[in-house]
Structures are given as C-alpha cells and as structure tokens.
Amino acid sequence: MAGTAIERKGEADAASKIPVTVLTGYLGAGKTTLLNRILSEPHGQRYAVIVNEFGEVGIDNELVVDADEEVFEMNNGCICCTVRGDLIRIIEGLMKRRGKFDAIIVETTGLADPAPVAQTFFVDEDVATKSRLDAVVTVADAKWLADRLKDAPEAKSQVAFADVIVLNKTDLVSADELAEVEGRIRAINPYATLHRTQRCQLPLDAVLGRNAFDLDRILELEPAFLETEDHDHHEHGDHGHHGHGHDDHGHHDHEHHDDAHHGHDHAGGDHKEHDHEAHGHLEAHGHGGARHFHDAEMHSLSVTIDGDVDAEKFLPWVQEYMQREGGSILRSKGILAFKDEPRRFVFQGVHMMLDGDLQRPWKDGEKRVSRMVFIGRHLKEDEIRTSFLACAA
Amino acid sequence: MAEERGSLTEHLASFPAGAPVQGATFLGETPVLVRDDGTLSLGEPAAPRAVTAHPEGTILSSRIAGAALLTGGDDGLVVATDAAGATRLVHDGKGKWIDALAARPDGTVAFASGRAVTTIDGKGAVRTTSVPTTARGLAFAPKGYRLAIAHYNGASLWFPNAAAPPELYEWKGSHLSATFSPDGRFLVTAMQESALHGWRLVDRANMRMSGYPTKVRSMSWSADGDWLATSGADSCVLWPFRDKDGPMKKTPLECAVRKAKISCVAFHPVSPLLAVGYEDGWVLLSRPSDQAELLVRRPDDDRSAITALAWDAKGDRMLLGTASGEAGLLTLPEG
C-alpha cells in the first residue's frame, strides 16, 4: 500500500461531507456578482455563505457568516503551513446547523492568497472529516487581469491556484485583448477549466460540484485546452485523507509519546530503466486561438515517465522535495504507475501539504504512464525533471 | 480486557436527547443537556422539558454561572437559563457569533465575539476589551477578578476592573481554550497544534504538553487539583500539577487505554475517579491511581462520539450525551 496521506479512516464518506467552494478573484472582477447569481438561481440547494467582513455588496442569503480572514501560521516547524483560523472556527460552528444547508461557499477578499484556505482542509482534522474542498473558483476581469498580473502578486496566485477560472466582462474587450488575457492565464495555469462570461453568466454546475480536490476525480493532467480522450470516470478505491507532507514537529520536554508520524508505507519494487519524455510548460498546443505567453515568475511544468516508477524512490523524493521547495510550488498533482501495483497512485498537493492514495486499477489496454504537473513560482524545471525521471522503475 | 472490567451499565438510564448534544451539566439536582438546535433539555429522563434558549440560532458554547446555565449562540445572544426553565437575555450581539463564554459562581459572566471580550459582574458592571485576533477561549481565575483569553500566538490575562490593558502571555500557535489550575498557579491552553501549552503565572515559565494525535477538546481538573485529565488520545492523558514545577520535566499518567480516541473527560467532584468518554460512544469510569476501570456505556447501535459528560455537585449522578442525540444518566450505587 502506498500513500503520502496517512490517516486512513476506513471507507471515505465523501458523500456526507459538506462541499466547500472557494470564490476568489481580484477586486472588482465580479466575485459578488457570481455569488449572488449562485444564490438566486432556483437550484434547490441551500448554501451557507462565508463572506469577508469588508465585503462591498450585500449578500441575499439566509445563512451568511462574516469572516475576518485570520491567516495563522501553524506552530509545527513549517513556515508556509498557514491556515485560515477563522474558517476552522466557522466551519465547526456551522456544523452544529447540519441539515440546514447543503454546501458552503467561501468568498475571499480580492487580496487574498488562496493557499491558506486550501491548506485548512489538509491541516485541520475536524474540518477535513466534516467538509471537503470542492474547488477554487477564480473570477478574473477580462479587461484588467493582464495589468493585475503584472502588478499584483495576489492576482497571479489566484489564477495559479484555480480549478475553475471565470473570465468575466468579456464584452468590455476586443477579440485580440481576450486572446491575450487568455494566453496570459494559460501561461500561468494551463490546467484550470476556463469559462468566458459577461456578468458571470454561466451554468452553475460549471463552478459548483466540481470535486476538483477529490483524488478520485483527478482524471487527467493534460492542459485543459487540449482535447483529451481520457474521460473515464472514477471508481471507488480506499481513500486516505489529509496527511501532511512534513513531520518535523518540534518537541519540548516531557511529552509522553510521539506525534502521529506522517510517514508512508508502500510496496517495494525493483528498479529498471525506462524511456521517458518530458513536457515543458506552454507547449504550442491549443485551440480557440489562445496565444502563448511566458510568465517570468509563475508557470507550470509537466513531466512524464513513459512507464512505471519505483515507489521506494518516488515517495521519499516527493515528500522531501515538497518540504524543501513547497514554498514556491502552489499546486501539484500526479497520476503514477507504481511497479508491480495494478492500481493508479494519485496525489495532489498544496505547497507542502500532500494527499495521495491508490485508486482504481489501470485498465486493460490503458497505457501505464506516470505524470506529474506543478504550478509555481520560478520552478526549478531541470531539477524537478531530473529528479522525477530518476524515480523511473 | 473488557471481560475483566466491572460494570455499571445496569445503573445507566439511557434516553433520547432529541437532538445532538454538545454539553451537559446539573443545575442543582436538575440534569441539563445542551443541544445543537438551540434548545436545552431540563429535568429527569422520564420527564424532560425543552427550553428554547436560542429560537433562531444554534448554541456555540455553554457554562454554568451560579444557579443558571449560560449559553452563547450564533444568533449573537447570551442567555441565562435557570433550573425552572426561565430564561433571561444577558446580551444581544445583533447576530455576531458568541464564540466563547466563562462564568463564576457569583454570576459574573464573560463572553467573546470576534476580538471583543466583555465581562458583566454580579452588580451589572460591564467591562470590555479586545485582543489582537479572535478570542477563542475564556476562563476566570479561581481567585480575584481576572480573565484569561486564549487567542492566536498566546493568551491574554485581563483584570476587568483595572485600567491596564490585558497582559500578553506569548506562545506561537493558535490557542483555542483556556483553564486555570484550581490553585490559580497555572494557566493551560489547548492548541490547534494538538498540544497543550501551560504557563506558570508567577514567572511565566512555559510548558509544552505535546504528543496528542488530535486536538484536545476536553480538559478536567481532579478534585484535589493535582491532575489535569485530557481528551485527544486513545488513552486519557493526565498531567501532574501538584509540585511547584507542575508537569515540567515529568511524564504524564495514562489511563483508560482503548483502541478509540477519547472525546470527553470529567473528574468526579469528590473522589479520585474519572469519567472517560470515547469517539465510539463508550464510557468508562477509571481510577487513574491503580488503573481500575468500570464500564458505564457500551453502545450497541449508536457508535457516535460522547460529546458531553458532567457530574452533579455531590458526585452521585453523571449525565452524558452523544453527537447523534443519545443521552444517559448514571446513578452510582450506594457504597
């Protein structure tokens, strides 16, 4: 059994967990418009909405909670391990109203970094057992995003982090400008689903119920603007939850037993050479006329091993690497073929937090390939590529 | 193991609580269950009476304040309910969540909403202060009019009647709840980081009590004040506080080990006995000194967590509640 996520709780009861959608986006992009649209649709869903206390526009909903975006560092020896302390408190409080709402939407301020929100779902056990992060949805202003990407680091993080990007106000830009801003978005994050909208008009299932953080649903790691054929839907396997990618909890005197050790166990396997191929970021695929840009700071990287990897090499490497370099890696995902393992190993990470598990078996005729994707700042592409390729079985 | 335990199960009267239970207490002789739906259940299991303390909300915290039970809700209300079921509005925060409460036997109350902390003493004098981040846990010192406020990166100690601002006791991390040792020498907080932190107040010596697999949600002092029992592990961890150094450089005692995490602990008010509730609905009565155990509850169907345990003042009866809305009243046999 392999897993970077360690605390197994038997059968995952994903269905009983309250889905949480995080709405992010730079000031004025249209977050509140999207939120009010979600709430006013006749979908029959009841939402608890967690809004920023400085929100500009009123929210028309029965259950609205003011949040103050208290970003806390965890005192566990990991400097980038930040969480939204208020979110932990509020979700715990909301759970006492269980049955009165079906889902939670968290609206963040325009200046918010999405990482602490996402990490909250990895770090806090109570939050993780009662709720699940469904997707990070970023609303972007077609007219101003390109400028914001130049001068606002938060805007860049929000695009990099997104599972879904709502490119709004497309009526205010020309076709050329639209192509440029899409190109700039894709330079940072080629994996998010992108929707062009005016006044955030889009089907709600495009932003809600995405299961983007569900390991079972990490179906493909191809850039989203490529046509892919890998549309097999998920089957259920056992499902580990929310391990840390780090275990360096400092100890003082008189503790009585060790902190739960977030290690991992896995099947062994012999090492043998395999061919490989590596994808750089932003290759010239694409349709829909997206132009290609390079973002000097934030970009993505995809690396593929055309075959199996050695779990004994890969798991220690990925944990060590994420712990060392996770500060600059915003999101990571991987689907891997472990040698002598009939099931796919799937993992994802947010900075140093990793969650991974063995999922459905590789199908007959399905090519066993191992692929990882990263989105981050100044990724050390050669180092990642070389060290990952060295994990080939 | 289980076969060797004596059993008190025949002395436990089980009954439906009507809604998920988050707290239990006794107002005099009257058992009281605090329920998630904003209501209280008062009275004996055969004839409980529902009191709607928070008609539009849910209860976030509760504390005994003399002859009344204080509840704070997500409706912004602080409500005091007496044993007869009469309610009194203590504070209306206009919908701002009441995140924490504390109270003293003389009826003095403290409540926190966001960063603001308010006290109202027995004469009705209101004092307010604020802390740098959301106040998460409150506790009155056993002597003197002094309040501890747990928050991010430490705890603040405040004399509500003094002009001086709260005094910060700093320790990195997120502090969620607070309790003073009964002799007032130590302040202990439970942290987001699945550890306890302690300060010896006289010299601010820090003590970190770590090693828990999960957050400590329940803490209880022994009647003599020598031990602090804690939830959060699959044994009940008891920290020694009798010596002047408290638990510093000492190993805690462990008891009531099972293959299930402890969710709730409550020391007997007189004897060195400890009630221990588990995440799978079991309840044991343990004597930490010799590890003797008696079975109180072993559920057949309802395996949901014990969320509340409370003794009456004399220690004759103990009330328990679960996350799924079950309850039980244990009457200790004579002798």
Side-chain angles (χ1 to χ4, degrees):
Chain A
M1 296 290 290
T4 50
I6 316 311
E7 290 180 20
R8 283 165 192 278
K9 294 185 177 293
E11 286 303 300
D13 49 346
S16 70
K17 293 186 182 190
I18 301 282
V20 181
T21 302
V22 177
L23 277 189
T24 169
Y26 210 69
L27 303 164
K31 277 192 310 275
T32 310
T33 307
L34 178 58
L35 181 54
N36 274 325
R37 258 186 52 71
I38 292 170
L39 298 174
S40 61
E41 291 266 316
H43 38 54
Q45 295 280 299
R46 296 161 304 171
Y47 293 99
V49 181
I50 301 173
V51 294
N52 167 276
E53 62 183 335
F54 305 110
E56 319 104 89
V57 187
I59 305 296
D60 185 20
N61 191 51
E62 194 174 323
L63 196 48
V64 179
V65 187
D66 276 349
D68 35 21
E69 299 209 346
E70 291 184 324
V71 174
F72 293 164
E73 267 177 40
M74 294 290 288
N75 183 8
N76 58 8
C78 164
I79 49 156
C80 72
C81 188
T82 53
V83 298
R84 279 275 302 272
D86 59 327
L87 204 55
I88 297 173
R89 173 176 59 83
I90 290 167
I91 288 177
E92 184 182 344
L94 281 174
M95 286 306 158
K96 292 177 178 168
R97 283 184 178 260
R98 247 198 147 141
K100 304 267 174 62
F101 60 94
D102 307 299
I104 296 173
I105 300 172
V106 182
E107 185 195 31
T108 67
T109 56
L111 297 173
D113 174 1
V117 185
Q119 290 177 163
T120 300
F121 292 83
F122 285 75
V123 169
D124 189 85
E125 195 191 13
D126 299 313
V127 167
T129 51
K130 289 168 188 154
S131 62
R132 61 178 175 81
L133 183 55
D134 187 71
V136 174
V137 176
T138 297
V139 185
D141 182 324
K143 189 161 180 61
W144 295 110
L145 180 71
D147 286 348
R148 294 295 80 78
L149 292 178
K150 289 171 200 156
D151 63 16
E154 302 86 359
K156 215 177 254 187
S157 293
Q158 290 165 359
V159 168
F161 233 97
D163 300 294
V164 177
I165 294 170
V166 178
L167 187 55
N168 194 33
K169 306 191 186 182
T170 55
D171 50 331
L172 303 182
V173 294
S174 68
D176 262 10
E177 288 171 308
L178 187 60
E180 176 179 341
V181 74
E182 285 189 15
R184 292 199 183 278
I185 289 171
R186 288 312 187 191
I188 295 169
N189 183 345
Y191 302 104
T193 312
L194 191 148
H195 301 279
R196 301 166 198 162
T197 66
Q198 300 169 14
R199 288 172 295 283
C200 290
Q201 297 282 344
L202 80 169
L204 292 186
D205 61 7
V207 289
L208 299 169
R210 303 300 298 170
N211 281 319
F213 277 83
D214 185 343
L215 288 176
D216 287 345
R217 291 287 298 270
I218 299 177
L219 299 179
E220 63 233 26
L221 300 173
E222 297 292 347
F225 50 83
L226 295 181
E227 298 291 342
T228 65
E229 293 174 358
D230 181 14
H231 284 302
D232 43 291
H233 281 278
H234 67 289
E235 296 160 29
H236 286 284
D238 52 343
H239 195 144
H241 278 281
H242 308 288
H244 286 239
H246 49 81
D247 54 15
D248 53 342
H249 294 225
H251 279 238
H252 286 235
D253 49 2
H254 69 265
E255 60 260 18
H256 64 283
H257 48 206
D258 287 344
D259 284 6
H261 183 82
H262 297 283
H264 53 258
D265 55 317
H266 50 79
D270 295 325
H271 174 234
K272 78 177 192 222
E273 292 301 320
H274 260 264
D275 292 331
H276 59 256
E277 59 165 2
H279 277 279
H281 65 285
L282 266 194
E283 294 193 2
H285 308 289
H287 64 119
R291 284 205 235 134
H292 294 296
F293 290 86
H294 178 78
D295 190 285
E297 182 201 29
M298 192 87 80
H299 51 120
S300 70
L301 170 68
S302 161
V303 194
T304 303
I305 291 173
D306 197 13
D308 292 0
V309 301
D310 181 347
E312 299 252 22
K313 290 182 180 170
F314 172 77
L315 289 169
W317 168 71
V318 74
Q319 293 219 5
E320 188 278 329
Y321 194 78
M322 290 304 182
Q323 198 168 326
R324 181 154 52 88
E325 299 288 338
S328 59
I329 299 170
L330 277 67
R331 296 279 300 262
S332 58
K333 293 182 185 182
I335 298 175
L336 300 135
F338 284 163
K339 187 175 158 46
D340 298 330
E341 171 56 61
R343 289 169 293 172
R344 309 198 311 174
F345 181 78
V346 179
F347 87 92
Q348 64 170 318
V350 171
H351 288 302
M352 297 181 188
M353 313 285 157
L354 295 179
D355 187 8
D357 204 0
L358 288 166
Q359 299 286 341
R360 67 160 174 83
W362 293 92
K363 291 177 183 162
D364 289 342
E366 187 178 17
K367 200 173 167 205
R368 287 174 66 99
V369 292
S370 300
R371 176 173 295 162
M372 296 181 68
V373 302
F374 302 85
I375 297 174
R377 286 189 187 87
H378 305 296
L379 295 174
K380 296 175 179 169
E381 299 192 16
D382 292 343
E383 181 182 291
I384 292 173
R385 194 175 279 125
T386 308
S387 49
F388 176 57
L389 295 179
C391 298
Chain B
M1 296 280 288
E3 294 75 32
E4 293 165 20
R5 278 184 198 115
S7 176
L8 291 171
T9 52
E10 64 189 270
H11 301 284
L12 179 74
S14 295
F15 59 102
V21 177
Q22 56 167 284
T25 191
F26 288 84
L27 283 169
E29 298 286 306
T30 308
V32 183
L33 293 167
V34 182
R35 303 186 287 201
D36 279 358
D37 64 359
T39 67
L40 309 176
S41 168
L42 267 70
E44 299 301 321
R49 162 173 181 203
V51 174
T52 305
H54 298 263
E56 306 289 327
T58 187
I59 295 169
L60 297 173
S61 61
S62 58
R63 286 286 184 278
I64 281 285
L69 178 69
L70 207 62
T71 50
D74 67 356
D75 51 5
L77 304 183
V78 179
V79 177
T81 305
D82 67 19
T87 59
R88 177 175 65 87
L89 182 64
V90 175
H91 169 77
D92 183 353
K94 309 284 180 215
K96 280 210 75 157
W97 287 22
I98 305 297
D99 300 310
L101 290 173
R104 300 202 307 179
D106 67 358
T108 299
V109 305
F111 53 89
S113 192
R115 286 180 281 273
V117 180
T118 304
T119 58
I120 306 174
D121 71 16
K123 295 173 191 136
V126 178
R127 300 283 183 267
T128 60
T129 189
S130 66
V131 286
T133 60
T134 297
R136 296 299 311 273
L138 302 176
F140 276 112
K143 292 169 212 122
Y145 189 18
R146 195 180 198 192
L147 184 73
I149 307 161
H151 48 77
Y152 179 53
N153 281 347
S156 293
L157 281 174
W158 180 42
F159 290 104
N161 280 340
E167 201 182 351
L168 176 64
Y169 284 65
E170 209 168 357
W171 187 261
K172 202 167 175 283
S174 201
H175 301 257
L176 305 179
S177 64
T179 181
F180 282 95
S181 62
D183 60 12
R185 289 188 301 139
F186 297 95
L187 173 66
V188 178
T189 59
M191 299 182 66
Q192 169 72 30
E193 287 84 355
S194 298
L196 303 183
H197 193 76
W199 289 272
R200 184 166 57 192
L201 297 180
V202 65
D203 61 356
R204 293 183 174 231
N206 286 291
M207 52 200 86
R208 186 178 179 210
M209 292 158 269
S210 68
Y212 294 92
T214 61
K215 279 184 260 185
V216 176
R217 295 188 161 278
S218 177
M219 298 189 273
S220 177
W221 293 94
S222 59
D224 57 13
D226 286 355
W227 297 96
L228 177 64
T230 57
S231 71
D234 53 11
S235 64
C236 180
V237 178
L238 297 109
W239 296 95
F241 277 84
R242 186 164 62 184
D243 297 350
K244 70 173 171 53
D245 288 340
M248 280 183 261
K249 309 250 194 293
K250 292 194 186 71
T251 308
L253 197 63
E254 295 181 54
C255 70
V257 185
R258 284 187 61 235
K259 281 184 183 163
K261 284 202 187 79
I262 289 165
S263 54
C264 220
V265 291
F267 258 114
H268 189 276
V270 183
S271 307
L273 289 174
L274 178 67
V276 181
Y278 296 82
E279 281 188 349
D280 64 356
W282 280 50
V283 178
L284 298 179
L285 198 56
S286 170
R287 188 164 55 207
S289 56
D290 64 358
Q291 307 273 328
E293 288 170 5
L294 292 168
L295 179 67
V296 175
R297 184 174 191 265
R298 181 172 55 196
D300 297 323
D301 307 325
D302 172 30
R303 309 283 285 184
S304 67
I306 299 294
T307 46
L309 285 176
W311 293 94
D312 67 5
K314 286 183 282 184
D316 295 339
R317 300 203 294 173
M318 186 191 71
L319 183 63
L320 64 89
T322 77
S324 65
E326 294 296 317
L329 185 61
L330 174 74
T331 305
L332 287 185
E334 298 290 328

